[in-house]
Amino acid sequence: MSTSVDPLAPLAALPGVAESVDSVRKAVDRVYGHRIMRRRSNEITSEAALRGARGSAALSGADWELEEVRRRTDFGAEAQALTVGAALRLTAEAGQLLSIWRQSPLRVLARLHLVAAGGAVPGEAVGRPRKAAEPVDEPLVDLPLPAAEEMAGRLDGLAGLIISGSSAPALVSAAVVHGELLTLRPFGSCNGLVARAAARVVLVGSGLDPKSVCPAEVGHAELGRAAYQEALAGYASGTPQGVAAWIAHCGRAVELGARESTAVCEALQRGAA
């Protein structure tokens, strides 16, 4: 088999995808071109991390106000608190795994699940793909669950794509990683949180958003869980239209995340934040 085949490249030619890629690039450039980013980028990155974690937790059923996430220090009391705590830990961890992702994506995914699940699930099930007949706790993803054998094969295929690299734009690669992990649900828990963290790794590591100031999780939460599930179903269908719609949805989420950080920059400039 030729090693020159790039399965992701044709996705960039799907209807509407080039426009989404261009729109995302312009939105990202606006944030990075803001005068506050040149002086206080660390603050923007920290705020984006907090807001991104809040958005990811909301998509997994813990829709807390931002100030509640900011204020809380104990995230081990009940289910929603555990979800918010997991999202915060994943956001912090994702930046530490950039150098490993292209060499060993499965190792990174295992680490992300370990960080997300913590002590919330049995130890032997943490950080490894599920086995046959093992249950999956992901009630907010309403898609047929692939059998463990199919999941393992597709997960290996995804890892191979990441390792071999692609000429596809970062948005396309991130959307595929995100959609594939949510469709496969390789772990017994926390798959949504892990999928969104992995997509963040792709966007940051690709150089599209190197300072991680365009939290797509914010955009996904703003667009709403129903739209998220509908777009994901399109991806899972495997049709060109469905995949293109998912990529466009992911692109819009990145744009909204960029808009959020632009607003933070404006607030800092006014001295209001």
Side-chain angles (χ1 to χ4, degrees), residues 122-147:
E124 64 179 20
V126 174
R128 65 155 175 79
R130 57 186 167 87
K131 299 177 181 178
E134 287 185 339
V136 173
D137 180 18
E138 203 71 46
L140 300 177
V141 177
D142 186 20
L143 291 173
L145 183 68

Side-chain angles (χ1 to χ4, degrees), residues 1 6 12 43 56 59 67 69 76 78 88 101 118 122 125 135-136 145 154 156 162 193 198 216 220 226 245 265 267:
M1 182 180 294
D6 183 354
E43 292 175 66
S56 190
L59 291 165
E67 291 311 312
V69 178
E78 41 82 28
L88 288 167
W101 175 252
V136 173
L145 183 68
R154 286 177 62 175
D156 283 343
I162 294 164
L193 295 171
H220 283 300
C265 287

Side-chain angles (χ1 to χ4, degrees), residues 46-174:
S46 296
E47 187 65 20
L50 184 72
R51 294 177 186 227
R54 192 216 74 82
S56 190
L59 291 165
S60 287
D63 192 1
W64 287 15
E65 294 294 331
L66 179 62
E67 291 311 312
E68 177 67 7
V69 178
R70 199 190 303 278
R71 180 187 66 82
R72 285 283 287 268
T73 57
D74 177 15
F75 296 98
E78 41 82 28
Q80 288 200 7
L82 287 170
T83 297
V84 174
L88 288 167
R89 292 193 302 273
L90 280 173
T91 300
E93 186 72 15
Q96 310 302 313
L97 300 171
L98 295 172
S99 63
I100 307 172
W101 175 252
R102 280 291 300 274
Q103 286 73 42
S104 186
L106 295 182
R107 180 181 162 197
V108 170
L109 292 174
R111 176 62 186 170
L112 290 173
H113 186 247
L114 179 66
V115 169
V121 297
E124 64 179 20
V126 174
R128 65 155 175 79
R130 57 186 167 87
K131 299 177 181 178
E134 287 185 339
V136 173
D137 180 18
E138 203 71 46
L140 300 177
V141 177
D142 186 20
L143 291 173
L145 183 68
E149 184 176 0
E150 178 189 350
M151 176 275 294
R154 286 177 62 175
L155 191 63
D156 283 343
L158 178 64
L161 286 177
I162 294 164
I163 292 168
S164 60
S166 173
S167 63
L171 172 64
V172 173
S173 298

Side-chain angles (χ1 to χ4, degrees), residues 221-248:
E222 183 174 335
L223 292 167
R225 198 181 299 158
Y228 187 63
Q229 291 178 332
E230 181 181 353
L232 177 62
Y235 174 84
S237 75
T239 65
Q241 296 87 350
V243 174
W246 169 249
I247 295 171

